[in-house]
PDB file of all heavy atoms in Angstrom:
ATOM      1  N   CYS B  67      17.536  18.016 -46.589  1.00 97.00           N
ATOM      2  CA  CYS B  67      18.381  19.066 -47.208  1.00 97.00           C
ATOM      3  C   CYS B  67      18.123  19.077 -48.702  1.00 97.00           C
ATOM      4  O   CYS B  67      17.993  20.179 -49.328  1.00 97.00           O
ATOM      5  CB  CYS B  67      19.814  18.846 -46.945  1.00 97.00           C
ATOM      6  SG  CYS B  67      20.228  18.990 -45.212  1.00 97.00           S
ATOM      7  N   VAL B  68      18.033  17.901 -49.360  1.00 98.00           N
ATOM      8  CA  VAL B  68      17.781  17.890 -50.805  1.00 98.00           C
ATOM      9  C   VAL B  68      16.453  18.584 -51.161  1.00 98.00           C
ATOM     10  O   VAL B  68      16.336  19.401 -52.003  1.00 98.00           O
ATOM     11  CB  VAL B  68      17.757  16.439 -51.343  1.00 98.00           C
ATOM     12  CG1 VAL B  68      17.216  16.362 -52.719  1.00 98.00           C
ATOM     13  CG2 VAL B  68      19.163  15.826 -51.246  1.00 98.00           C
ATOM     14  N   ALA B  69      15.437  18.252 -50.325  1.00 97.00           N
ATOM     15  CA  ALA B  69      14.117  18.814 -50.567  1.00 97.00           C
ATOM     16  C   ALA B  69      14.118  20.301 -50.485  1.00 97.00           C
ATOM     17  O   ALA B  69      13.633  21.047 -51.295  1.00 97.00           O
ATOM     18  CB  ALA B  69      13.067  18.216 -49.590  1.00 97.00           C
ATOM     19  N   VAL B  70      14.726  20.776 -49.345  1.00 97.00           N
ATOM     20  CA  VAL B  70      14.749  22.224 -49.118  1.00 97.00           C
ATOM     21  C   VAL B  70      15.559  22.957 -50.213  1.00 97.00           C
ATOM     22  O   VAL B  70      15.095  23.901 -50.792  1.00 97.00           O
ATOM     23  CB  VAL B  70      15.377  22.578 -47.668  1.00 97.00           C
ATOM     24  CG1 VAL B  70      15.580  24.027 -47.575  1.00 97.00           C
ATOM     25  CG2 VAL B  70      14.496  21.969 -46.628  1.00 97.00           C
ATOM     26  N   ALA B  71      16.752  22.403 -50.520  1.00 97.00           N
ATOM     27  CA  ALA B  71      17.562  23.060 -51.569  1.00 97.00           C
ATOM     28  C   ALA B  71      16.901  23.048 -52.883  1.00 97.00           C
ATOM     29  O   ALA B  71      16.841  24.096 -53.602  1.00 97.00           O
ATOM     30  CB  ALA B  71      18.881  22.282 -51.646  1.00 97.00           C
ATOM     31  N   MET B  72      16.256  21.959 -53.258  1.00 97.00           N
ATOM     32  CA  MET B  72      15.566  21.828 -54.542  1.00 97.00           C
ATOM     33  C   MET B  72      14.438  22.871 -54.618  1.00 97.00           C
ATOM     34  O   MET B  72      14.398  23.655 -55.554  1.00 97.00           O
ATOM     35  CB  MET B  72      15.008  20.398 -54.732  1.00 97.00           C
ATOM     36  CG  MET B  72      14.209  20.256 -55.927  1.00 97.00           C
ATOM     37  SD  MET B  72      13.481  18.597 -56.078  1.00 97.00           S
ATOM     38  CE  MET B  72      12.105  18.707 -54.948  1.00 97.00           C
ATOM     39  N   MET B  73      13.560  22.881 -53.593  1.00 96.00           N
ATOM     40  CA  MET B  73      12.385  23.786 -53.737  1.00 96.00           C
ATOM     41  C   MET B  73      12.727  25.202 -53.605  1.00 96.00           C
ATOM     42  O   MET B  73      12.143  26.069 -54.183  1.00 96.00           O
ATOM     43  CB  MET B  73      11.291  23.302 -52.807  1.00 96.00           C
ATOM     44  CG  MET B  73      10.695  22.063 -53.284  1.00 96.00           C
ATOM     45  SD  MET B  73       9.423  21.407 -52.203  1.00 96.00           S
ATOM     46  CE  MET B  73      10.319  21.084 -50.775  1.00 96.00           C
ATOM     47  N   ASN B  74      13.755  25.445 -52.805  1.00 96.00           N
ATOM     48  CA  ASN B  74      14.223  26.818 -52.589  1.00 96.00           C
ATOM     49  C   ASN B  74      14.771  27.375 -53.945  1.00 96.00           C
ATOM     50  O   ASN B  74      14.435  28.462 -54.316  1.00 96.00           O
ATOM     51  CB  ASN B  74      15.320  26.906 -51.511  1.00 96.00           C
ATOM     52  CG  ASN B  74      15.657  28.367 -51.252  1.00 96.00           C
ATOM     53  OD1 ASN B  74      14.808  29.204 -51.118  1.00 96.00           O
ATOM     54  ND2 ASN B  74      16.940  28.670 -51.282  1.00 96.00           N
ATOM     55  N   PHE B  75      15.514  26.561 -54.600  1.00 97.00           N
ATOM     56  CA  PHE B  75      16.027  26.977 -55.920  1.00 97.00           C
ATOM     57  C   PHE B  75      14.957  27.175 -56.962  1.00 97.00           C
ATOM     58  O   PHE B  75      14.823  28.175 -57.584  1.00 97.00           O
ATOM     59  CB  PHE B  75      17.096  26.034 -56.451  1.00 97.00           C
ATOM     60  CG  PHE B  75      17.648  26.349 -57.752  1.00 97.00           C
ATOM     61  CD1 PHE B  75      18.446  27.492 -57.959  1.00 97.00           C
ATOM     62  CD2 PHE B  75      17.195  25.666 -58.911  1.00 97.00           C
ATOM     63  CE1 PHE B  75      18.828  27.875 -59.227  1.00 97.00           C
ATOM     64  CE2 PHE B  75      17.625  26.035 -60.169  1.00 97.00           C
ATOM     65  CZ  PHE B  75      18.468  27.152 -60.346  1.00 97.00           C
ATOM     66  N   ILE B  76      14.112  26.137 -57.106  1.00 96.00           N
ATOM     67  CA  ILE B  76      13.066  26.122 -58.137  1.00 96.00           C
ATOM     68  C   ILE B  76      12.004  27.253 -57.897  1.00 96.00           C
ATOM     69  O   ILE B  76      11.734  28.052 -58.777  1.00 96.00           O
ATOM     70  CB  ILE B  76      12.434  24.777 -58.284  1.00 96.00           C
ATOM     71  CG1 ILE B  76      13.463  23.698 -58.705  1.00 96.00           C
ATOM     72  CG2 ILE B  76      11.300  24.781 -59.322  1.00 96.00           C
ATOM     73  CD1 ILE B  76      12.914  22.277 -58.701  1.00 96.00           C
ATOM     74  N   MET B  77      11.454  27.197 -56.678  1.00 95.00           N
ATOM     75  CA  MET B  77      10.252  28.001 -56.428  1.00 95.00           C
ATOM     76  C   MET B  77      10.547  29.427 -55.992  1.00 95.00           C
ATOM     77  O   MET B  77       9.740  30.333 -56.204  1.00 95.00           O
ATOM     78  CB  MET B  77       9.320  27.316 -55.374  1.00 95.00           C
ATOM     79  CG  MET B  77       8.895  25.923 -55.690  1.00 95.00           C
ATOM     80  SD  MET B  77       7.994  25.832 -57.201  1.00 95.00           S
ATOM     81  CE  MET B  77       6.476  26.688 -56.734  1.00 95.00           C
ATOM     82  N   ILE B  78      11.675  29.619 -55.372  1.00 95.00           N
ATOM     83  CA  ILE B  78      11.971  30.942 -54.779  1.00 95.00           C
ATOM     84  C   ILE B  78      13.073  31.668 -55.589  1.00 95.00           C
ATOM     85  O   ILE B  78      12.952  32.839 -55.939  1.00 95.00           O
ATOM     86  CB  ILE B  78      12.462  30.773 -53.343  1.00 95.00           C
ATOM     87  CG1 ILE B  78      11.504  29.956 -52.497  1.00 95.00           C
ATOM     88  CG2 ILE B  78      12.643  32.185 -52.660  1.00 95.00           C
ATOM     89  CD1 ILE B  78      10.087  30.463 -52.359  1.00 95.00           C
ATOM     90  N   GLU B  79      14.197  30.971 -55.940  1.00 95.00           N
ATOM     91  CA  GLU B  79      15.294  31.723 -56.525  1.00 95.00           C
ATOM     92  C   GLU B  79      15.221  31.778 -58.053  1.00 95.00           C
ATOM     93  O   GLU B  79      15.399  32.788 -58.673  1.00 95.00           O
ATOM     94  CB  GLU B  79      16.596  31.064 -56.113  1.00 95.00           C
ATOM     95  CG  GLU B  79      17.031  31.457 -54.701  1.00 95.00           C
ATOM     96  CD  GLU B  79      18.209  30.658 -54.205  1.00 95.00           C
ATOM     97  OE1 GLU B  79      18.869  30.026 -55.052  1.00 95.00           O
ATOM     98  OE2 GLU B  79      18.460  30.697 -52.995  1.00 95.00           O
ATOM     99  N   ASP B  80      15.008  30.607 -58.694  1.00 95.00           N
ATOM    100  CA  ASP B  80      15.071  30.555 -60.105  1.00 95.00           C
ATOM    101  C   ASP B  80      13.972  31.281 -60.812  1.00 95.00           C
ATOM    102  O   ASP B  80      14.189  32.081 -61.734  1.00 95.00           O
ATOM    103  CB  ASP B  80      15.103  29.076 -60.574  1.00 95.00           C
ATOM    104  CG  ASP B  80      15.507  29.005 -62.024  1.00 95.00           C
ATOM    105  OD1 ASP B  80      16.336  29.809 -62.474  1.00 95.00           O
ATOM    106  OD2 ASP B  80      14.986  28.097 -62.702  1.00 95.00           O
ATOM    107  N   TRP B  81      12.719  31.004 -60.470  1.00 94.00           N
ATOM    108  CA  TRP B  81      11.632  31.582 -61.149  1.00 94.00           C
ATOM    109  C   TRP B  81      10.472  31.796 -60.195  1.00 94.00           C
ATOM    110  O   TRP B  81       9.479  31.033 -60.168  1.00 94.00           O
ATOM    111  CB  TRP B  81      11.160  30.696 -62.308  1.00 94.00           C
ATOM    112  CG  TRP B  81      10.336  31.437 -63.344  1.00 94.00           C
ATOM    113  CD1 TRP B  81       9.852  32.702 -63.248  1.00 94.00           C
ATOM    114  CD2 TRP B  81       9.833  30.940 -64.582  1.00 94.00           C
ATOM    115  NE1 TRP B  81       9.152  33.059 -64.342  1.00 94.00           N
ATOM    116  CE2 TRP B  81       9.059  31.980 -65.158  1.00 94.00           C
ATOM    117  CE3 TRP B  81       9.913  29.720 -65.215  1.00 94.00           C
ATOM    118  CZ2 TRP B  81       8.497  31.822 -66.425  1.00 94.00           C
ATOM    119  CZ3 TRP B  81       9.320  29.553 -66.451  1.00 94.00           C
ATOM    120  CH2 TRP B  81       8.583  30.641 -67.090  1.00 94.00           C
ATOM    121  N   PRO B  82      10.503  32.846 -59.332  1.00 93.00           N
ATOM    122  CA  PRO B  82       9.480  33.034 -58.295  1.00 93.00           C
ATOM    123  C   PRO B  82       8.209  33.585 -58.923  1.00 93.00           C
ATOM    124  O   PRO B  82       7.931  34.735 -58.850  1.00 93.00           O
ATOM    125  CB  PRO B  82      10.159  34.037 -57.303  1.00 93.00           C
ATOM    126  CG  PRO B  82      11.156  34.791 -58.170  1.00 93.00           C
ATOM    127  CD  PRO B  82      11.562  33.857 -59.246  1.00 93.00           C
ATOM    128  N   GLN B  83       7.404  32.764 -59.480  1.00 92.00           N
ATOM    129  CA  GLN B  83       6.174  33.182 -60.063  1.00 92.00           C
ATOM    130  C   GLN B  83       5.066  33.314 -59.027  1.00 92.00           C
ATOM    131  O   GLN B  83       5.194  32.692 -57.975  1.00 92.00           O
ATOM    132  CB  GLN B  83       5.638  32.090 -61.030  1.00 92.00           C
ATOM    133  CG  GLN B  83       6.360  31.987 -62.353  1.00 92.00           C
ATOM    134  CD  GLN B  83       5.631  30.990 -63.250  1.00 92.00           C
ATOM    135  OE1 GLN B  83       4.897  31.413 -64.062  1.00 92.00           O
ATOM    136  NE2 GLN B  83       5.816  29.748 -62.996  1.00 92.00           N
ATOM    137  N   ASN B  84       4.065  34.088 -59.336  1.00 93.00           N
ATOM    138  CA  ASN B  84       2.904  34.138 -58.499  1.00 93.00           C
ATOM    139  C   ASN B  84       1.962  33.111 -58.927  1.00 93.00           C
ATOM    140  O   ASN B  84       1.299  33.186 -59.941  1.00 93.00           O
ATOM    141  CB  ASN B  84       2.308  35.551 -58.593  1.00 93.00           C
ATOM    142  CG  ASN B  84       1.055  35.711 -57.665  1.00 93.00           C
ATOM    143  OD1 ASN B  84       0.556  34.703 -57.228  1.00 93.00           O
ATOM    144  ND2 ASN B  84       0.676  36.902 -57.451  1.00 93.00           N
ATOM    145  N   ILE B  85       1.852  31.984 -58.159  1.00 93.00           N
ATOM    146  CA  ILE B  85       0.983  30.957 -58.490  1.00 93.00           C
ATOM    147  C   ILE B  85      -0.181  30.925 -57.493  1.00 93.00           C
ATOM    148  O   ILE B  85      -0.011  30.531 -56.331  1.00 93.00           O
ATOM    149  CB  ILE B  85       1.715  29.594 -58.521  1.00 93.00           C
ATOM    150  CG1 ILE B  85       2.869  29.655 -59.455  1.00 93.00           C
ATOM    151  CG2 ILE B  85       0.738  28.416 -58.868  1.00 93.00           C
ATOM    152  CD1 ILE B  85       3.854  28.502 -59.361  1.00 93.00           C
ATOM    153  N   GLY B  86      -1.330  31.433 -57.954  1.00 92.00           N
ATOM    154  CA  GLY B  86      -2.516  31.420 -57.041  1.00 92.00           C
ATOM    155  C   GLY B  86      -2.315  32.240 -55.828  1.00 92.00           C
ATOM    156  O   GLY B  86      -2.925  31.992 -54.765  1.00 92.00           O
ATOM    157  N   GLY B  87      -1.478  33.305 -55.898  1.00 92.00           N
ATOM    158  CA  GLY B  87      -1.321  34.185 -54.803  1.00 92.00           C
ATOM    159  C   GLY B  87      -0.430  33.659 -53.623  1.00 92.00           C
ATOM    160  O   GLY B  87      -0.412  34.218 -52.554  1.00 92.00           O
ATOM    161  N   LYS B  88       0.268  32.581 -53.878  1.00 93.00           N
ATOM    162  CA  LYS B  88       1.103  32.065 -52.809  1.00 93.00           C
ATOM    163  C   LYS B  88       2.384  32.945 -52.699  1.00 93.00           C
ATOM    164  O   LYS B  88       2.917  33.315 -53.720  1.00 93.00           O
ATOM    165  CB  LYS B  88       1.517  30.578 -53.139  1.00 93.00           C
ATOM    166  CG  LYS B  88       0.385  29.623 -52.805  1.00 93.00           C
ATOM    167  CD  LYS B  88       0.290  29.312 -51.318  1.00 93.00           C
ATOM    168  CE  LYS B  88      -1.025  28.802 -50.969  1.00 93.00           C
ATOM    169  NZ  LYS B  88      -2.045  29.916 -50.772  1.00 93.00           N
ATOM    170  N   PRO B  89       2.799  33.201 -51.438  1.00 93.00           N
ATOM    171  CA  PRO B  89       3.919  34.121 -51.306  1.00 93.00           C
ATOM    172  C   PRO B  89       5.272  33.462 -51.635  1.00 93.00           C
ATOM    173  O   PRO B  89       5.769  32.700 -50.779  1.00 93.00           O
ATOM    174  CB  PRO B  89       3.843  34.500 -49.817  1.00 93.00           C
ATOM    175  CG  PRO B  89       3.148  33.395 -49.233  1.00 93.00           C
ATOM    176  CD  PRO B  89       2.285  32.798 -50.185  1.00 93.00           C
ATOM    177  N   SER B  90       5.838  33.760 -52.769  1.00 93.00           N
ATOM    178  CA  SER B  90       7.099  33.095 -53.147  1.00 93.00           C
ATOM    179  C   SER B  90       8.239  34.074 -52.938  1.00 93.00           C
ATOM    180  O   SER B  90       9.200  34.057 -53.699  1.00 93.00           O
ATOM    181  CB  SER B  90       7.078  32.570 -54.544  1.00 93.00           C
ATOM    182  OG  SER B  90       6.560  33.560 -55.422  1.00 93.00           O
ATOM    183  N   PHE B  91       8.176  34.970 -51.966  1.00 94.00           N
ATOM    184  CA  PHE B  91       9.262  35.941 -51.757  1.00 94.00           C
ATOM    185  C   PHE B  91      10.397  35.311 -50.990  1.00 94.00           C
ATOM    186  O   PHE B  91      11.561  35.693 -51.226  1.00 94.00           O
ATOM    187  CB  PHE B  91       8.699  37.104 -50.925  1.00 94.00           C
ATOM    188  CG  PHE B  91       7.437  37.680 -51.525  1.00 94.00           C
ATOM    189  CD1 PHE B  91       6.199  37.543 -50.879  1.00 94.00           C
ATOM    190  CD2 PHE B  91       7.462  38.368 -52.720  1.00 94.00           C
ATOM    191  CE1 PHE B  91       5.100  37.977 -51.426  1.00 94.00           C
ATOM    192  CE2 PHE B  91       6.306  38.838 -53.300  1.00 94.00           C
ATOM    193  CZ  PHE B  91       5.093  38.661 -52.590  1.00 94.00           C
ATOM    194  N   SER B  92      10.080  34.407 -50.085  1.00 95.00           N
ATOM    195  CA  SER B  92      11.158  33.709 -49.381  1.00 95.00           C
ATOM    196  C   SER B  92      10.682  32.347 -49.051  1.00 95.00           C
ATOM    197  O   SER B  92       9.490  32.020 -49.140  1.00 95.00           O
ATOM    198  CB  SER B  92      11.494  34.484 -48.051  1.00 95.00           C
ATOM    199  OG  SER B  92      10.445  34.318 -47.150  1.00 95.00           O
ATOM    200  N   TYR B  93      11.639  31.497 -48.705  1.00 95.00           N
ATOM    201  CA  TYR B  93      11.285  30.071 -48.503  1.00 95.00           C
ATOM    202  C   TYR B  93      10.306  29.969 -47.344  1.00 95.00           C
ATOM    203  O   TYR B  93       9.343  29.178 -47.365  1.00 95.00           O
ATOM    204  CB  TYR B  93      12.587  29.185 -48.254  1.00 95.00           C
ATOM    205  CG  TYR B  93      12.300  27.791 -48.251  1.00 95.00           C
ATOM    206  CD1 TYR B  93      12.149  27.062 -49.454  1.00 95.00           C
ATOM    207  CD2 TYR B  93      12.119  27.050 -47.091  1.00 95.00           C
ATOM    208  CE1 TYR B  93      11.904  25.757 -49.498  1.00 95.00           C
ATOM    209  CE2 TYR B  93      11.896  25.694 -47.115  1.00 95.00           C
ATOM    210  CZ  TYR B  93      11.781  25.036 -48.338  1.00 95.00           C
ATOM    211  OH  TYR B  93      11.523  23.658 -48.345  1.00 95.00           O
ATOM    212  N   ILE B  94      10.619  30.660 -46.248  1.00 94.00           N
ATOM    213  CA  ILE B  94       9.823  30.485 -45.028  1.00 94.00           C
ATOM    214  C   ILE B  94       8.339  30.889 -45.226  1.00 94.00           C
ATOM    215  O   ILE B  94       7.461  30.314 -44.717  1.00 94.00           O
ATOM    216  CB  ILE B  94      10.525  31.242 -43.839  1.00 94.00           C
ATOM    217  CG1 ILE B  94       9.919  30.704 -42.522  1.00 94.00           C
ATOM    218  CG2 ILE B  94      10.351  32.737 -43.968  1.00 94.00           C
ATOM    219  CD1 ILE B  94      10.519  29.398 -42.092  1.00 94.00           C
ATOM    220  N   GLU B  95       8.170  31.932 -46.053  1.00 94.00           N
ATOM    221  CA  GLU B  95       6.781  32.402 -46.297  1.00 94.00           C
ATOM    222  C   GLU B  95       5.964  31.395 -46.991  1.00 94.00           C
ATOM    223  O   GLU B  95       4.704  31.353 -46.836  1.00 94.00           O
ATOM    224  CB  GLU B  95       6.796  33.718 -47.076  1.00 94.00           C
ATOM    225  CG  GLU B  95       7.012  34.971 -46.263  1.00 94.00           C
ATOM    226  CD  GLU B  95       7.179  36.126 -47.134  1.00 94.00           C
ATOM    227  OE1 GLU B  95       8.233  36.276 -47.735  1.00 94.00           O
ATOM    228  OE2 GLU B  95       6.211  36.896 -47.241  1.00 94.00           O
ATOM    229  N   ASN B  96       6.554  30.598 -47.828  1.00 94.00           N
ATOM    230  CA  ASN B  96       5.774  29.587 -48.575  1.00 94.00           C
ATOM    231  C   ASN B  96       5.991  28.145 -48.065  1.00 94.00           C
ATOM    232  O   ASN B  96       5.650  27.210 -48.696  1.00 94.00           O
ATOM    233  CB  ASN B  96       6.169  29.692 -50.081  1.00 94.00           C
ATOM    234  CG  ASN B  96       4.974  29.321 -50.914  1.00 94.00           C
ATOM    235  OD1 ASN B  96       3.913  28.991 -50.495  1.00 94.00           O
ATOM    236  ND2 ASN B  96       5.205  29.343 -52.261  1.00 94.00           N
ATOM    237  N   MET B  97       6.594  28.063 -46.897  1.00 95.00           N
ATOM    238  CA  MET B  97       7.004  26.778 -46.419  1.00 95.00           C
ATOM    239  C   MET B  97       5.920  25.747 -46.260  1.00 95.00           C
ATOM    240  O   MET B  97       6.113  24.629 -46.573  1.00 95.00           O
ATOM    241  CB  MET B  97       7.857  26.894 -45.146  1.00 95.00           C
ATOM    242  CG  MET B  97       8.693  25.568 -44.997  1.00 95.00           C
ATOM    243  SD  MET B  97       9.384  25.382 -43.371  1.00 95.00           S
ATOM    244  CE  MET B  97       8.022  25.163 -42.339  1.00 95.00           C
ATOM    245  N   PRO B  98       4.758  26.101 -45.658  1.00 95.00           N
ATOM    246  CA  PRO B  98       3.759  25.091 -45.455  1.00 95.00           C
ATOM    247  C   PRO B  98       3.455  24.279 -46.720  1.00 95.00           C
ATOM    248  O   PRO B  98       3.217  23.096 -46.628  1.00 95.00           O
ATOM    249  CB  PRO B  98       2.537  25.855 -45.003  1.00 95.00           C
ATOM    250  CG  PRO B  98       3.098  27.095 -44.305  1.00 95.00           C
ATOM    251  CD  PRO B  98       4.372  27.413 -45.079  1.00 95.00           C
ATOM    252  N   ALA B  99       3.487  24.940 -47.878  1.00 95.00           N
ATOM    253  CA  ALA B  99       3.209  24.217 -49.107  1.00 95.00           C
ATOM    254  C   ALA B  99       4.321  23.278 -49.452  1.00 95.00           C
ATOM    255  O   ALA B  99       4.072  22.309 -50.154  1.00 95.00           O
ATOM    256  CB  ALA B  99       3.033  25.230 -50.242  1.00 95.00           C
ATOM    257  N   PHE B 100       5.533  23.458 -48.922  1.00 96.00           N
ATOM    258  CA  PHE B 100       6.650  22.563 -49.212  1.00 96.00           C
ATOM    259  C   PHE B 100       6.750  21.370 -48.251  1.00 96.00           C
ATOM    260  O   PHE B 100       7.430  20.408 -48.572  1.00 96.00           O
ATOM    261  CB  PHE B 100       7.933  23.329 -49.256  1.00 96.00           C
ATOM    262  CG  PHE B 100       7.967  24.464 -50.203  1.00 96.00           C
ATOM    263  CD1 PHE B 100       8.633  25.619 -49.901  1.00 96.00           C
ATOM    264  CD2 PHE B 100       7.297  24.347 -51.422  1.00 96.00           C
ATOM    265  CE1 PHE B 100       8.647  26.705 -50.827  1.00 96.00           C
ATOM    266  CE2 PHE B 100       7.328  25.426 -52.340  1.00 96.00           C
ATOM    267  CZ  PHE B 100       8.021  26.597 -52.052  1.00 96.00           C
ATOM    268  N   VAL B 101       6.102  21.459 -47.079  1.00 96.00           N
ATOM    269  CA  VAL B 101       6.310  20.504 -46.047  1.00 96.00           C
ATOM    270  C   VAL B 101       5.956  19.029 -46.538  1.00 96.00           C
ATOM    271  O   VAL B 101       6.713  18.106 -46.257  1.00 96.00           O
ATOM    272  CB  VAL B 101       5.527  20.872 -44.781  1.00 96.00           C
ATOM    273  CG1 VAL B 101       5.395  19.722 -43.820  1.00 96.00           C
ATOM    274  CG2 VAL B 101       6.190  22.019 -44.115  1.00 96.00           C
ATOM    275  N   PRO B 102       4.843  18.825 -47.261  1.00 97.00           N
ATOM    276  CA  PRO B 102       4.552  17.427 -47.704  1.00 97.00           C
ATOM    277  C   PRO B 102       5.712  16.850 -48.510  1.00 97.00           C
ATOM    278  O   PRO B 102       6.066  15.686 -48.334  1.00 97.00           O
ATOM    279  CB  PRO B 102       3.323  17.658 -48.560  1.00 97.00           C
ATOM    280  CG  PRO B 102       2.654  18.805 -48.038  1.00 97.00           C
ATOM    281  CD  PRO B 102       3.757  19.736 -47.633  1.00 97.00           C
ATOM    282  N   ILE B 103       6.364  17.688 -49.333  1.00 97.00           N
ATOM    283  CA  ILE B 103       7.461  17.110 -50.150  1.00 97.00           C
ATOM    284  C   ILE B 103       8.689  16.925 -49.205  1.00 97.00           C
ATOM    285  O   ILE B 103       9.405  15.922 -49.337  1.00 97.00           O
ATOM    286  CB  ILE B 103       7.758  18.071 -51.311  1.00 97.00           C
ATOM    287  CG1 ILE B 103       6.524  18.079 -52.214  1.00 97.00           C
ATOM    288  CG2 ILE B 103       9.004  17.633 -52.066  1.00 97.00           C
ATOM    289  CD1 ILE B 103       6.405  19.312 -53.074  1.00 97.00           C
TER     290      ILE B 103
END
Side-chain angles (χ1 to χ4, degrees):
Chain B
C67 293
V68 167
V70 172
M72 175 182 79
M73 287 181 295
N74 185 48
F75 176 71
I76 297 173
M77 301 302 290
I78 309 296
E79 282 171 15
D80 191 36
W81 199 355
Q83 286 188 100
N84 182 343
I85 303 167
K88 284 280 158 279
S90 49
F91 310 108
S92 70
Y93 191 78
I94 197 76
E95 275 173 284
N96 210 0
M97 200 193 67
F100 303 144
V101 166
I103 296 156

